[in-house]
Amino acid sequence: GEDAKPFTPEKTKEIVMSLQQPAVFCNMVSDWPALHWNAKYLSGVLNGKMIQFRLGPKTVDLVPQFETRCSYVKATLEEFLAWSCGQPSCLSGPFSCYEYSKYWAYADYKYIARIFEDKPEVFQDIRWSDFGFPGRSGKESTLWIGSEGANTPCHLDSYGCNLVLQVQGRKRWHLFPPGDTSFLYPTRIPYEESSVFSKVNVANPDLKRFPQFRNTTAHVVTLSPGQVLLIPRHWWHYVESIDPITVSINSWIELDADHEARVEEAITRMLVCAIKSAENPSDGDLWLNPTEVEATSHEVNLQYLNKAVSAYLECQKPSVSEQARPSSTAAEQSTSTSCKRKKREVGCEPEGCRLLTHEFGFSTFKAEKLQKIPFGPHLIEVLPQYQETSWMDAVAVGSDGRDLLHENEGGHLGKLHCARKQLVTSNDCEMPAHQMDSDGSPRASQTALSTNDLLDCLVNPCVISLVAQLLLERTRV
């Protein structure tokens, strides 16, 4: 019962909204029916419903396994379980082209409100009210089902903080604080609203290309069934399933700070869509993450930017009297855009978003009001785990013996060996760097800047933050 839980809902909410480092809650969900949601049970509940799986090879690579580099199949959970057990029936099924020993599969970002839309009673199996969020259930949660090796590339979420319940199997989390952002080489390609990806495969970092990664401070934790991980706002995370079958459930908790973040995301969307859409489609650059349905038009992006700015300004006004709020005001319409758009197909009800925005805002609990965090057996602090010797002492030397640790990553600031006038009028310059030498590597004499290079600089989080501030100042004039 509730009395047996180590923290009251009010105390738990206070911790969630104030703690600025990852931590694991224990003994908080022992009475949740969702603890029975193993893959076999869910297979019976879904009763043959087809869901999409993302597949990737179980190979060690220096490049992150972005979703644009994965394969996709639609299958039932029953077929997934048969494949993971090596049953002969899989020889002709949707997983027939993917040998279990060589591939992992991940049914990720499955919105419970959508896949169980015909069984709404299961929403109550998830009780985030125990964490201080009354009325929050499976309807505002997401389901993840994976095989061993299934992983999510290292990224940070632009919006909210994150609560993750582990149901079956174990997952290993590599977390990095917001202050490590520059060391993780952030990129918006592949583009997905609310996700800033790292170019580094943190499980196997390429220190020749990304030397500053050695300056990161990793916080590593293995999450076991029955535990709930708190991921504070803007903490980077790479997640990997380490057991044959894993099931987890998460919910993103909206914060007041998300209003400004939405303005920044709207600016980013406008820039990325405008610049990448201008490229030749035949180039084959998979810049749009599969979770983004399509590149929205400039007009639509501009509308979204204006709505985000309006929502931000509305949030900055003195608190509205709660006595008589019209049921359909401009303010309510603007806050409906504050639903976490982690994936474009999420069906978030405006009422639920308004509830989160006004009642659970970050400003509700100031850090200075929080008493000493009650770390102990029921709330485990995720401590820094410094990189292994193989990371720190790796010798990053190029084939020609040059020390690469102090060179610019990826040629983003490539040296231009020709004067500006020569670049325009002369034929004496080297050919563009996309023309390769016989060994497949770019010619070292010159590095050509690509559209993605420009975007990496243009939509760098620091740059976008400054642009957002300038834009918001303009609205106040």
Short mmCIF file of all heavy atoms in Angstrom, two decimals, residues 172-224:
data_model
loop_
_atom_site.label_atom_id
_atom_site.label_comp_id
_atom_site.label_asym_id
_atom_site.label_seq_id
_atom_site.Cartn_x
_atom_site.Cartn_y
_atom_site.Cartn_z
N ARG A 172 21.28 -0.53 -19.64
CA ARG A 172 22.40 0.26 -19.14
C ARG A 172 22.29 1.67 -19.70
O ARG A 172 22.14 1.86 -20.91
CB ARG A 172 23.73 -0.37 -19.52
CG ARG A 172 24.94 0.38 -18.95
CD ARG A 172 26.20 -0.44 -19.03
NE ARG A 172 26.12 -1.59 -18.15
CZ ARG A 172 26.35 -2.86 -18.53
NH1 ARG A 172 26.66 -3.12 -19.79
NH2 ARG A 172 26.25 -3.84 -17.67
N TRP A 173 22.36 2.64 -18.82
CA TRP A 173 22.25 4.05 -19.17
C TRP A 173 23.59 4.74 -18.99
O TRP A 173 24.22 4.63 -17.94
CB TRP A 173 21.21 4.75 -18.28
CG TRP A 173 19.80 4.33 -18.54
CD1 TRP A 173 19.21 3.14 -18.21
CD2 TRP A 173 18.78 5.11 -19.17
NE1 TRP A 173 17.89 3.13 -18.60
CE2 TRP A 173 17.61 4.33 -19.19
CE3 TRP A 173 18.74 6.39 -19.70
CZ2 TRP A 173 16.41 4.79 -19.74
CZ3 TRP A 173 17.56 6.86 -20.25
CH2 TRP A 173 16.41 6.06 -20.26
N HIS A 174 24.03 5.43 -20.03
CA HIS A 174 25.20 6.31 -19.96
C HIS A 174 24.66 7.74 -19.99
O HIS A 174 24.10 8.17 -21.00
CB HIS A 174 26.14 6.08 -21.14
CG HIS A 174 26.73 4.71 -21.19
ND1 HIS A 174 28.07 4.45 -20.98
CD2 HIS A 174 26.17 3.49 -21.42
CE1 HIS A 174 28.29 3.15 -21.08
NE2 HIS A 174 27.16 2.55 -21.35
N LEU A 175 24.83 8.47 -18.90
CA LEU A 175 24.28 9.82 -18.79
C LEU A 175 25.40 10.84 -18.66
O LEU A 175 26.41 10.60 -18.00
CB LEU A 175 23.35 9.90 -17.58
CG LEU A 175 22.16 8.93 -17.60
CD1 LEU A 175 22.18 8.06 -16.35
CD2 LEU A 175 20.84 9.66 -17.67
N PHE A 176 25.20 11.99 -19.30
CA PHE A 176 26.19 13.06 -19.27
C PHE A 176 25.48 14.37 -18.91
O PHE A 176 24.40 14.65 -19.43
CB PHE A 176 26.86 13.21 -20.64
CG PHE A 176 27.54 11.95 -21.13
CD1 PHE A 176 26.82 11.00 -21.85
CD2 PHE A 176 28.88 11.72 -20.87
CE1 PHE A 176 27.44 9.84 -22.30
CE2 PHE A 176 29.50 10.57 -21.33
CZ PHE A 176 28.79 9.62 -22.04
N PRO A 177 26.08 15.18 -18.04
CA PRO A 177 25.43 16.43 -17.61
C PRO A 177 25.36 17.45 -18.73
O PRO A 177 26.12 17.39 -19.71
CB PRO A 177 26.33 16.91 -16.47
CG PRO A 177 27.67 16.29 -16.75
CD PRO A 177 27.39 14.96 -17.38
N PRO A 178 24.45 18.42 -18.62
CA PRO A 178 24.30 19.45 -19.65
C PRO A 178 25.61 20.19 -19.93
O PRO A 178 25.85 20.62 -21.06
CB PRO A 178 23.26 20.40 -19.05
CG PRO A 178 22.46 19.55 -18.12
CD PRO A 178 23.43 18.57 -17.54
N GLY A 179 26.46 20.31 -18.92
CA GLY A 179 27.73 21.01 -19.11
C GLY A 179 28.69 20.31 -20.06
O GLY A 179 29.68 20.91 -20.50
N ASP A 180 28.41 19.05 -20.39
CA ASP A 180 29.26 18.30 -21.32
C ASP A 180 28.83 18.45 -22.77
O ASP A 180 29.39 17.79 -23.65
CB ASP A 180 29.24 16.81 -20.96
CG ASP A 180 30.12 16.49 -19.76
OD1 ASP A 180 30.78 17.41 -19.25
OD2 ASP A 180 30.13 15.32 -19.34
N THR A 181 27.86 19.31 -23.03
CA THR A 181 27.29 19.39 -24.38
C THR A 181 28.34 19.61 -25.46
O THR A 181 28.35 18.91 -26.48
CB THR A 181 26.23 20.51 -24.44
OG1 THR A 181 25.11 20.13 -23.63
CG2 THR A 181 25.74 20.74 -25.86
N SER A 182 29.24 20.54 -25.26
CA SER A 182 30.22 20.83 -26.31
C SER A 182 31.18 19.66 -26.52
O SER A 182 31.71 19.47 -27.62
CB SER A 182 31.02 22.09 -25.97
OG SER A 182 31.75 21.92 -24.76
N PHE A 183 31.40 18.83 -25.49
CA PHE A 183 32.29 17.68 -25.61
C PHE A 183 31.63 16.51 -26.35
O PHE A 183 32.30 15.55 -26.72
CB PHE A 183 32.74 17.20 -24.23
CG PHE A 183 33.35 18.26 -23.37
CD1 PHE A 183 33.12 18.28 -22.00
CD2 PHE A 183 34.15 19.26 -23.91
CE1 PHE A 183 33.67 19.27 -21.19
CE2 PHE A 183 34.72 20.25 -23.12
CZ PHE A 183 34.47 20.25 -21.76
N LEU A 184 30.31 16.60 -26.52
CA LEU A 184 29.56 15.52 -27.16
C LEU A 184 29.23 15.82 -28.62
O LEU A 184 28.54 15.04 -29.27
CB LEU A 184 28.27 15.24 -26.38
CG LEU A 184 28.50 14.52 -25.04
CD1 LEU A 184 27.35 14.72 -24.10
CD2 LEU A 184 28.75 13.03 -25.28
N TYR A 185 29.74 16.94 -29.13
CA TYR A 185 29.59 17.30 -30.54
C TYR A 185 28.12 17.21 -30.99
O TYR A 185 27.75 16.33 -31.77
CB TYR A 185 30.49 16.40 -31.40
CG TYR A 185 31.95 16.52 -31.06
CD1 TYR A 185 32.51 15.77 -30.03
CD2 TYR A 185 32.78 17.39 -31.75
CE1 TYR A 185 33.85 15.89 -29.70
CE2 TYR A 185 34.13 17.51 -31.43
CZ TYR A 185 34.66 16.76 -30.40
OH TYR A 185 36.00 16.89 -30.07
N PRO A 186 27.29 18.12 -30.50
CA PRO A 186 25.85 18.06 -30.81
C PRO A 186 25.58 18.31 -32.29
O PRO A 186 26.30 19.06 -32.95
CB PRO A 186 25.27 19.19 -29.94
CG PRO A 186 26.41 20.13 -29.71
CD PRO A 186 27.63 19.27 -29.64
N THR A 187 24.55 17.66 -32.78
CA THR A 187 24.14 17.83 -34.18
C THR A 187 22.63 17.72 -34.27
O THR A 187 21.99 17.04 -33.46
CB THR A 187 24.80 16.79 -35.09
OG1 THR A 187 24.40 17.02 -36.44
CG2 THR A 187 24.41 15.37 -34.70
N ARG A 188 22.03 18.39 -35.27
CA ARG A 188 20.60 18.26 -35.53
C ARG A 188 20.34 17.45 -36.79
O ARG A 188 19.23 17.45 -37.30
CB ARG A 188 19.95 19.65 -35.65
CG ARG A 188 20.04 20.51 -34.39
CD ARG A 188 19.62 19.79 -33.12
NE ARG A 188 18.26 19.30 -33.12
CZ ARG A 188 17.24 19.92 -32.54
NH1 ARG A 188 17.43 21.07 -31.92
NH2 ARG A 188 16.03 19.40 -32.56
N ILE A 189 21.35 16.78 -37.28
CA ILE A 189 21.17 15.87 -38.41
C ILE A 189 21.55 14.47 -37.94
O ILE A 189 22.70 14.25 -37.56
CB ILE A 189 22.06 16.27 -39.61
CG1 ILE A 189 21.78 17.72 -40.02
CG2 ILE A 189 21.84 15.33 -40.79
CD1 ILE A 189 20.39 17.96 -40.54
N PRO A 190 20.65 13.51 -37.91
CA PRO A 190 19.27 13.58 -38.42
C PRO A 190 18.40 14.50 -37.56
O PRO A 190 18.57 14.57 -36.35
CB PRO A 190 18.79 12.14 -38.34
CG PRO A 190 19.63 11.51 -37.26
CD PRO A 190 20.96 12.18 -37.34
N TYR A 191 17.48 15.20 -38.25
CA TYR A 191 16.62 16.16 -37.56
C TYR A 191 15.38 15.49 -36.99
O TYR A 191 14.70 14.73 -37.67
CB TYR A 191 16.18 17.30 -38.49
CG TYR A 191 15.17 18.19 -37.81
CD1 TYR A 191 15.58 19.08 -36.83
CD2 TYR A 191 13.82 18.09 -38.11
CE1 TYR A 191 14.65 19.86 -36.16
CE2 TYR A 191 12.89 18.87 -37.45
CZ TYR A 191 13.31 19.76 -36.48
OH TYR A 191 12.39 20.52 -35.81
N GLU A 192 15.12 15.81 -35.74
CA GLU A 192 13.90 15.39 -35.06
C GLU A 192 13.59 16.45 -34.02
O GLU A 192 14.47 16.82 -33.23
CB GLU A 192 14.09 14.03 -34.39
CG GLU A 192 12.95 13.63 -33.46
CD GLU A 192 13.26 12.33 -32.73
OE1 GLU A 192 13.31 11.30 -33.39
OE2 GLU A 192 13.45 12.37 -31.50
N GLU A 193 12.38 16.95 -34.03
CA GLU A 193 12.06 17.97 -33.04
C GLU A 193 12.22 17.42 -31.64
O GLU A 193 11.77 16.31 -31.34
CB GLU A 193 10.63 18.48 -33.21
CG GLU A 193 10.33 19.57 -32.20
CD GLU A 193 8.94 20.16 -32.32
OE1 GLU A 193 8.27 19.90 -33.31
OE2 GLU A 193 8.56 20.88 -31.40
N SER A 194 12.88 18.18 -30.81
CA SER A 194 13.10 17.93 -29.39
C SER A 194 14.25 16.99 -29.10
O SER A 194 14.55 16.74 -27.94
CB SER A 194 11.82 17.42 -28.69
OG SER A 194 11.68 16.03 -28.81
N SER A 195 14.94 16.48 -30.10
CA SER A 195 16.10 15.62 -29.86
C SER A 195 17.35 16.24 -30.47
O SER A 195 17.39 16.49 -31.67
CB SER A 195 15.88 14.23 -30.46
OG SER A 195 14.88 13.53 -29.77
N VAL A 196 18.36 16.47 -29.62
CA VAL A 196 19.66 16.91 -30.08
C VAL A 196 20.59 15.71 -29.97
O VAL A 196 20.83 15.21 -28.87
CB VAL A 196 20.20 18.08 -29.25
CG1 VAL A 196 21.55 18.54 -29.78
CG2 VAL A 196 19.21 19.23 -29.23
N PHE A 197 21.09 15.21 -31.10
CA PHE A 197 21.91 14.01 -31.10
C PHE A 197 23.38 14.35 -30.91
O PHE A 197 23.83 15.46 -31.19
CB PHE A 197 21.72 13.24 -32.41
CG PHE A 197 20.36 12.62 -32.56
CD1 PHE A 197 19.40 13.20 -33.38
CD2 PHE A 197 20.03 11.47 -31.87
CE1 PHE A 197 18.14 12.64 -33.52
CE2 PHE A 197 18.77 10.89 -32.01
CZ PHE A 197 17.82 11.48 -32.84
N SER A 198 24.14 13.36 -30.45
CA SER A 198 25.59 13.47 -30.39
C SER A 198 26.18 12.72 -31.57
O SER A 198 25.69 11.66 -31.96
CB SER A 198 26.11 12.85 -29.08
OG SER A 198 27.52 12.72 -29.12
N LYS A 199 27.25 13.28 -32.14
CA LYS A 199 27.94 12.59 -33.24
C LYS A 199 28.78 11.43 -32.74
O LYS A 199 29.27 10.62 -33.53
CB LYS A 199 28.85 13.57 -33.97
CG LYS A 199 28.15 14.68 -34.71
CD LYS A 199 29.19 15.54 -35.41
CE LYS A 199 28.53 16.71 -36.09
NZ LYS A 199 29.54 17.58 -36.75
N VAL A 200 28.96 11.34 -31.43
CA VAL A 200 29.85 10.34 -30.85
C VAL A 200 29.09 9.06 -30.53
O VAL A 200 28.00 9.11 -29.96
CB VAL A 200 30.50 10.88 -29.56
CG1 VAL A 200 31.52 9.88 -29.01
CG2 VAL A 200 31.16 12.24 -29.81
N ASN A 201 29.66 7.93 -30.90
CA ASN A 201 29.16 6.66 -30.41
C ASN A 201 29.80 6.47 -29.03
O ASN A 201 30.95 6.04 -28.93
CB ASN A 201 29.55 5.52 -31.35
CG ASN A 201 29.04 4.17 -30.87
OD1 ASN A 201 28.47 4.06 -29.78
ND2 ASN A 201 29.25 3.13 -31.66
N VAL A 202 29.07 6.82 -27.99
CA VAL A 202 29.67 6.84 -26.66
C VAL A 202 30.07 5.46 -26.17
O VAL A 202 30.88 5.33 -25.25
CB VAL A 202 28.72 7.52 -25.64
CG1 VAL A 202 28.41 8.94 -26.07
CG2 VAL A 202 27.44 6.73 -25.45
N ALA A 203 29.51 4.40 -26.77
CA ALA A 203 29.89 3.04 -26.41
C ALA A 203 31.21 2.64 -27.05
O ALA A 203 31.85 1.68 -26.61
CB ALA A 203 28.79 2.06 -26.81
N ASN A 204 31.61 3.38 -28.08
CA ASN A 204 32.87 3.09 -28.79
C ASN A 204 33.36 4.39 -29.44
O ASN A 204 33.31 4.54 -30.65
CB ASN A 204 32.66 1.99 -29.84
CG ASN A 204 33.95 1.55 -30.48
OD1 ASN A 204 34.99 1.51 -29.83
ND2 ASN A 204 33.91 1.24 -31.76
N PRO A 205 33.82 5.33 -28.64
CA PRO A 205 34.12 6.68 -29.16
C PRO A 205 35.32 6.71 -30.09
O PRO A 205 36.31 6.02 -29.88
CB PRO A 205 34.39 7.49 -27.89
CG PRO A 205 34.84 6.48 -26.89
CD PRO A 205 34.07 5.22 -27.19
N ASP A 206 35.20 7.52 -31.11
CA ASP A 206 36.29 7.76 -32.05
C ASP A 206 37.03 9.01 -31.58
O ASP A 206 36.66 10.14 -31.92
CB ASP A 206 35.71 7.96 -33.46
CG ASP A 206 36.79 8.11 -34.52
OD1 ASP A 206 37.97 8.26 -34.15
OD2 ASP A 206 36.45 8.10 -35.71
N LEU A 207 38.10 8.82 -30.82
CA LEU A 207 38.81 9.95 -30.24
C LEU A 207 39.67 10.70 -31.24
O LEU A 207 40.14 11.79 -30.96
CB LEU A 207 39.67 9.48 -29.06
CG LEU A 207 38.87 8.94 -27.86
CD1 LEU A 207 39.81 8.52 -26.74
CD2 LEU A 207 37.89 9.98 -27.35
N LYS A 208 39.87 10.12 -32.41
CA LYS A 208 40.58 10.87 -33.45
C LYS A 208 39.70 11.99 -33.98
O LYS A 208 40.16 13.11 -34.18
CB LYS A 208 40.96 9.93 -34.59
CG LYS A 208 42.02 8.90 -34.23
CD LYS A 208 42.37 8.04 -35.44
CE LYS A 208 43.40 6.99 -35.07
NZ LYS A 208 43.75 6.15 -36.25
N ARG A 209 38.43 11.68 -34.21
CA ARG A 209 37.49 12.68 -34.73
C ARG A 209 36.93 13.56 -33.62
O ARG A 209 36.62 14.72 -33.83
CB ARG A 209 36.33 12.00 -35.46
CG ARG A 209 36.70 11.33 -36.77
CD ARG A 209 35.44 10.96 -37.52
NE ARG A 209 34.66 12.14 -37.86
CZ ARG A 209 33.35 12.13 -38.06
NH1 ARG A 209 32.66 11.02 -37.92
NH2 ARG A 209 32.72 13.26 -38.39
N PHE A 210 36.77 12.97 -32.42
CA PHE A 210 36.10 13.68 -31.34
C PHE A 210 36.97 13.70 -30.09
O PHE A 210 36.62 13.09 -29.07
CB PHE A 210 34.74 13.02 -31.05
CG PHE A 210 33.89 12.81 -32.28
CD1 PHE A 210 33.58 11.53 -32.73
CD2 PHE A 210 33.41 13.90 -32.98
CE1 PHE A 210 32.81 11.35 -33.86
CE2 PHE A 210 32.62 13.72 -34.11
CZ PHE A 210 32.32 12.44 -34.55
N PRO A 211 38.10 14.37 -30.14
CA PRO A 211 39.04 14.33 -29.01
C PRO A 211 38.49 14.91 -27.72
O PRO A 211 38.86 14.47 -26.63
CB PRO A 211 40.23 15.16 -29.52
CG PRO A 211 39.67 16.02 -30.61
CD PRO A 211 38.61 15.20 -31.25
N GLN A 212 37.57 15.88 -27.81
CA GLN A 212 37.06 16.50 -26.59
C GLN A 212 36.13 15.58 -25.81
O GLN A 212 35.78 15.88 -24.66
CB GLN A 212 36.35 17.81 -26.93
CG GLN A 212 37.28 18.90 -27.43
CD GLN A 212 36.57 20.24 -27.50
OE1 GLN A 212 36.18 20.82 -26.49
NE2 GLN A 212 36.39 20.73 -28.73
N PHE A 213 35.74 14.47 -26.42
CA PHE A 213 34.87 13.54 -25.70
C PHE A 213 35.55 13.02 -24.43
O PHE A 213 34.88 12.70 -23.45
CB PHE A 213 34.48 12.36 -26.59
CG PHE A 213 33.62 11.34 -25.89
CD1 PHE A 213 32.29 11.62 -25.60
CD2 PHE A 213 34.13 10.11 -25.50
CE1 PHE A 213 31.49 10.69 -24.94
CE2 PHE A 213 33.35 9.19 -24.83
CZ PHE A 213 32.02 9.48 -24.56
N ARG A 214 36.89 12.99 -24.43
CA ARG A 214 37.61 12.52 -23.25
C ARG A 214 37.39 13.45 -22.05
O ARG A 214 37.71 13.08 -20.92
CB ARG A 214 39.10 12.36 -23.54
CG ARG A 214 39.80 13.62 -23.93
CD ARG A 214 41.32 13.40 -24.09
NE ARG A 214 41.60 12.55 -25.25
CZ ARG A 214 42.13 11.35 -25.16
NH1 ARG A 214 42.39 10.81 -23.98
NH2 ARG A 214 42.38 10.64 -26.25
N ASN A 215 36.83 14.63 -22.27
CA ASN A 215 36.56 15.57 -21.17
C ASN A 215 35.19 15.36 -20.53
O ASN A 215 34.84 16.06 -19.58
CB ASN A 215 36.65 17.01 -21.68
CG ASN A 215 38.03 17.37 -22.17
OD1 ASN A 215 39.02 16.94 -21.60
ND2 ASN A 215 38.12 18.16 -23.25
N THR A 216 34.41 14.43 -21.06
CA THR A 216 33.07 14.20 -20.51
C THR A 216 33.14 13.46 -19.18
O THR A 216 34.13 12.82 -18.85
CB THR A 216 32.20 13.38 -21.48
OG1 THR A 216 32.81 12.10 -21.70
CG2 THR A 216 32.02 14.11 -22.80
N THR A 217 32.07 13.58 -18.43
CA THR A 217 31.93 12.86 -17.17
C THR A 217 30.70 11.96 -17.27
O THR A 217 29.56 12.44 -17.18
CB THR A 217 31.77 13.83 -15.98
OG1 THR A 217 32.89 14.71 -15.94
CG2 THR A 217 31.68 13.06 -14.67
N ALA A 218 30.92 10.69 -17.50
CA ALA A 218 29.82 9.75 -17.68
C ALA A 218 29.27 9.30 -16.32
O ALA A 218 30.02 9.01 -15.40
CB ALA A 218 30.29 8.55 -18.48
N HIS A 219 27.95 9.26 -16.24
CA HIS A 219 27.26 8.68 -15.09
C HIS A 219 26.59 7.42 -15.63
O HIS A 219 25.68 7.51 -16.46
CB HIS A 219 26.21 9.63 -14.52
CG HIS A 219 26.78 10.91 -13.98
ND1 HIS A 219 26.58 11.32 -12.68
CD2 HIS A 219 27.54 11.87 -14.56
CE1 HIS A 219 27.19 12.48 -12.48
NE2 HIS A 219 27.78 12.83 -13.62
N VAL A 220 27.02 6.26 -15.18
CA VAL A 220 26.54 5.00 -15.74
C VAL A 220 25.75 4.23 -14.69
O VAL A 220 26.18 4.08 -13.54
CB VAL A 220 27.71 4.13 -16.25
CG1 VAL A 220 27.18 2.83 -16.88
CG2 VAL A 220 28.54 4.90 -17.28
N VAL A 221 24.57 3.75 -15.07
CA VAL A 221 23.75 2.97 -14.15
C VAL A 221 23.04 1.87 -14.93
O VAL A 221 22.64 2.06 -16.08
CB VAL A 221 22.72 3.88 -13.43
CG1 VAL A 221 21.74 4.51 -14.42
CG2 VAL A 221 21.96 3.10 -12.36
N THR A 222 22.92 0.71 -14.32
CA THR A 222 22.16 -0.40 -14.89
C THR A 222 20.81 -0.45 -14.18
O THR A 222 20.75 -0.67 -12.96
CB THR A 222 22.89 -1.72 -14.72
OG1 THR A 222 24.14 -1.67 -15.41
CG2 THR A 222 22.07 -2.88 -15.29
N LEU A 223 19.75 -0.21 -14.94
CA LEU A 223 18.40 -0.15 -14.37
C LEU A 223 17.77 -1.53 -14.39
O LEU A 223 17.72 -2.19 -15.44
CB LEU A 223 17.56 0.85 -15.16
CG LEU A 223 16.31 1.40 -14.47
CD1 LEU A 223 16.70 2.22 -13.24
CD2 LEU A 223 15.50 2.25 -15.43
N SER A 224 17.28 -1.98 -13.25
CA SER A 224 16.69 -3.31 -13.10
C SER A 224 15.18 -3.20 -12.91
O SER A 224 14.66 -2.13 -12.57
CB SER A 224 17.32 -4.03 -11.89
OG SER A 224 18.71 -4.20 -12.09
#
